[in-house]
Amino acid sequence: MHPFEHRPETPIIYGNYANWLKSIHDMYLDVVSDRTVLEIASNNGDIVREILKHSPKQLTMLDPDPDSQRLSGADFVQDDVFRWLPNAPAYDVVVCFGLFYHLH
């Protein structure tokens, strides 16, 4: 499967924020197990907590907000993604659901 494709049977996520988080956990995050992961726009750490449940090898949180949540088990980078990414290390998986949540 191409990285930008999705499984045809993947349902559309509806409901409240808790349902949204659970759906992401159940449908998408199994790919992070034992891999290096970058989570862009990590802000409150809710998605990072879901990623950590899948035991990534290494996890980096990236957010420009100095008040963003820091979590044990993840490195935190406070920077703008467009400034930081060109010199970033390679990651096996990049997650940006926190950013997608705000896009309409």
Side-chain angles (χ1 to χ4, degrees):
M1 179 180 298
H2 187 276
F4 294 107
E5 292 178 354
H6 60 84
R7 298 176 192 111
E9 70 279 5
T10 301
I12 296 172
I13 300 171
Y14 293 102
N16 62 24
Y17 186 69
N19 290 343
W20 184 77
L21 278 175
K22 182 173 179 348
S23 296
I24 288 171
H25 173 87
D26 294 346
M27 292 188 286
Y28 297 106
L29 295 181
D30 59 326
V31 300
V32 305
S33 296
D34 201 34
R35 295 204 170 118
T36 59
V37 180
L38 171 64
E39 210 273 306
I40 297 172
S42 59
N43 195 272
N44 65 10
D46 287 346
I47 296 167
V48 171
R49 286 181 192 86
E50 297 303 316
I51 293 170
L52 287 169
K53 292 176 185 177
H54 288 280
S55 303
K57 185 185 303 181
Q58 189 272 331
L59 174 57
T60 299
M61 304 168 67
L62 175 67
D63 200 283
D65 185 350
D67 295 324
S68 292
Q69 182 75 44
R70 271 80 162 167
L71 296 173
S72 177
D75 299 323
F76 179 79
V77 175
Q78 180 194 335
D79 208 340
D80 180 277
V81 66
F82 295 108
R83 188 173 51 220
W84 182 80
L85 202 54
N87 298 312
Y91 290 89
D92 299 320
V93 179
V94 177
V95 176
C96 52
F97 287 113
L99 175 62
F100 290 161
Y101 180 78
H102 295 284
L103 302 178
H104 300 284

